[in-house]
Amino acid sequence: MRTFAVLMDRMKTIVKCLLGLLIGISAGMIVACAFIVMFTDLTLTVFFEKLCSVDLFMLSLSSLGGIVFFAISLPVLVLAHETGHLAGGLLSGYKFVSFRIFRFTIIKADGRYRLKRFAVSGTGGQCLLMPPDRPLKRIPVVLYNSGGVIANVLILFAFMPLLWIDGGAFLYEFVVIFLFTDVIIILMNGVPMNVGNVGNDGYNALLLRRSEASKRGIVTQLRVNAMIQNGVRPKDMPAEWFVVADDFDYGNSLELSIPVMAMSRLVDEMKYDEALRGFESLYEHRSEMMRLFAYEIACELVFLRLITGDVSGAKSLYDKDLKKYIDDYRSVMSSKERILCAMALIGEQNRAKAVGIYDDLYARKDSYLLQGEVKSDLALMSSMLDADIERRYR
């Protein structure tokens, strides 16, 4: 049933893409007609007569070529963008941790490079590095953060001369689409924007220059991520990384990451009551924060409410949207399996289902990117299942 549901979701995605493509083509035709009427001597009648005289085969081939050229340009330019971040970070003294393009991630663990699958909604790629071991004020962040846009700008100037090379219509079409895609990526990442409390590279560059709290947030995120990918559990990381400031901006994802990671560390330490109070306090401000954080906090609240006996409170959060979020990420984030295990064991009173979820995660544990998280989740699930045995035989 789950395979069929996934297949149906993919079919819906394909249909949406095709509809979007048709709408885009229609909108392009309307805009083209408007520009022709306003800025040329052609009338619409003459324009459509000329359009009808065009070889339909060549027109179709050109349209298909445009789609193919865009499909080639996007991953190449995303790769260049992330390579720019990598180069900027390495030049700033950072160490390699992972490099992701869409769902494919190269990581370095135990001195070896490995290929794994991981994805974060809203991102086409991600280059994560370990900051140098220096005091916060001496850790450079600008070149690492800006390296992606710099790389795209360099590519733009490198490819522009190809517009004046007579290599045929299809080469010209490819160059135009390639440069247009590059310009879009530069604008989307370089022009400071904060959409849905998610800042792009340009916005973060400004934020990091004027806010030490934001700088601490991104440096701590990078350090924690590097340790987790190398199999270290949050409870075994330095406690000073997780000190929560008295005042922070819930709409600033870099600042908010510190209290979220601190509460997650409490979960790993099995300090459930303290973690519950912290996450409940954060969740009260969910309308101010990035949606991804709101979902993650809701997931942990479901687990903590279940584990502390508030089953009805957990089920009130466990709605259709959260279920979909958990299902979308359970293959790349083991914490989602922990939450499903708790719901099966405590929320549904189905121990067999809970044990099956644990066994399935254990069998797939090496496939996950965040190995420290996997170790933590397996330990918490095992403790939860053992506690259930103790309750049954008292």
Side-chain angles (χ1 to χ4, degrees):
M1 288 297 292
R2 186 181 170 194
T3 303
F4 177 74
V6 171
L7 180 61
M8 289 301 296
D9 284 341
R10 289 179 179 174
M11 289 296 293
K12 289 177 182 177
T13 301
I14 292 171
V15 171
K16 287 179 181 178
C17 289
L18 290 174
L19 286 174
L21 182 62
L22 290 173
I23 292 170
I25 292 172
S26 301
M29 290 293 293
I30 293 170
V31 172
C33 292
F35 270 78
I36 287 166
V37 172
M38 289 188 294
F39 299 107
T40 71
D41 295 329
L42 281 178
T43 64
L44 281 176
T45 303
V46 175
F47 169 72
F48 281 115
E49 287 177 355
K50 289 182 176 292
L51 186 65
C52 291
S53 66
V54 175
D55 187 333
L56 288 179
F57 174 75
M58 290 303 296
L59 183 63
S60 301
L61 193 61
S62 178
S63 299
L64 180 61
I67 296 171
V68 172
F69 295 152
F70 176 75
I72 294 171
S73 300
L74 185 60
V76 169
L77 290 167
V78 170
L79 175 63
H81 183 87
E82 297 306 326
T83 301
H85 283 303
L86 175 63
L90 294 177
L91 289 172
S92 301
Y94 289 64
K95 294 181 180 178
F96 181 87
V97 176
S98 67
F99 187 91
R100 177 174 63 84
I101 300 297
F102 299 111
R103 284 184 170 271
F104 300 98
T105 304
I106 299 172
I107 68 166
K108 186 177 182 181
D110 301 324
R112 295 168 54 194
Y113 292 94
R114 299 176 183 175
L115 182 65
K116 293 200 174 187
R117 295 185 67 186
F118 187 73
V120 178
S121 178
T123 63
Q126 199 171 35
C127 173
L128 296 176
L129 306 175
M130 181 68 161
D133 188 14
R134 303 177 194 169
L136 183 64
K137 290 185 177 180
R138 293 183 53 212
I139 297 176
V141 292
V142 175
L143 185 57
Y144 171 37
N145 191 77
S146 306
V149 174
I150 293 172
N152 287 121
V153 170
L154 291 175
I155 286 176
L156 182 70
F157 285 109
F159 273 74
M160 281 183 70
L162 294 178
L163 290 172
W164 287 271
I165 295 177
D166 186 11
F170 284 104
L171 176 62
Y172 187 81
E173 182 182 9
F174 171 72
V175 173
V176 169
I177 290 173
F178 185 85
L179 293 176
F180 177 76
T181 306
D182 196 28
V183 169
I184 294 299
I185 291 175
I186 291 169
L187 294 175
M188 288 180 63
N189 289 278
V191 177
M193 288 184 285
N194 184 25
V195 181
N197 292 321
V198 182
N200 64 358
D201 291 343
Y203 182 84
N204 287 339
L206 294 177
L207 202 60
L208 291 169
R209 291 185 66 181
R210 66 171 184 254
S211 171
E212 187 170 329
S214 296
K215 184 176 180 180
R216 177 177 174 243
I218 194 170
V219 168
T220 304
Q221 279 188 67
L222 291 169
R223 284 175 172 166
V224 169
N225 183 79
M227 298 282 276
I228 287 178
Q229 286 194 26
N230 281 298
V232 181
R233 290 175 58 175
K235 71 180 186 64
D236 298 322
M237 297 180 193
E240 58 268 23
W241 290 2
F242 302 91
V243 175
V244 180
D246 294 331
D247 185 31
F248 56 87
D249 182 2
Y250 291 92
N252 183 329
S253 298
L254 300 180
E255 289 187 37
L256 182 61
S257 65
I258 299 289
V260 171
M261 290 187 293
M263 295 309 107
S264 297
R265 186 173 188 264
L266 290 174
V267 172
D268 193 30
E269 293 175 317
M270 298 187 188
K271 297 178 180 178
Y272 295 137
D273 290 326
E274 190 177 349
L276 177 62
R277 289 193 297 272
F279 274 126
E280 293 281 12
S281 178
L282 292 175
Y283 197 63
E284 290 176 2
H285 299 268
R286 58 189 176 277
S287 62
E288 304 171 41
M289 63 181 67
M290 181 175 72
R291 181 177 294 183
L292 185 66
F293 271 127
Y295 273 129
E296 283 298 311
I297 292 170
C299 287
E300 291 304 326
L301 281 176
V302 168
F303 173 76
L304 290 167
R305 288 179 180 182
L306 286 168
I307 209 77
T308 56
D310 183 11
V311 177
S312 61
K315 289 183 176 180
S316 69
L317 279 177
Y318 196 59
D319 59 12
K320 181 181 178 181
D321 290 339
L322 192 62
K323 288 178 183 177
K324 184 179 186 306
Y325 176 79
I326 290 172
D327 195 55
D328 288 344
Y329 280 94
R330 66 185 298 188
S331 63
V332 293
M333 297 176 71
S334 59
S335 60
K336 306 302 170 279
E337 300 288 1
R338 166 170 52 85
I339 292 154
L340 291 171
C341 181
M343 181 56 72
L345 182 67
I346 303 170
E348 302 171 9
Q349 296 292 304
N350 190 336
R351 179 176 172 81
K353 181 179 178 181
V355 171
I357 293 171
Y358 173 87
D359 290 341
D360 182 60
L361 175 60
Y362 188 86
R364 296 183 293 109
K365 66 182 188 297
D366 293 335
S367 67
Y368 283 86
L369 176 65
L370 306 175
Q371 284 297 300
E373 182 180 75
V374 175
K375 291 179 181 178
S376 171
D377 291 324
L378 285 171
L380 296 178
M381 291 163 71
S382 177
S383 174
M384 182 170 51
L385 291 166
D386 289 343
D388 180 65
I389 292 176
E390 291 178 7
R391 284 196 299 268
R392 287 169 184 267
Y393 289 94
R394 279 176 184 170

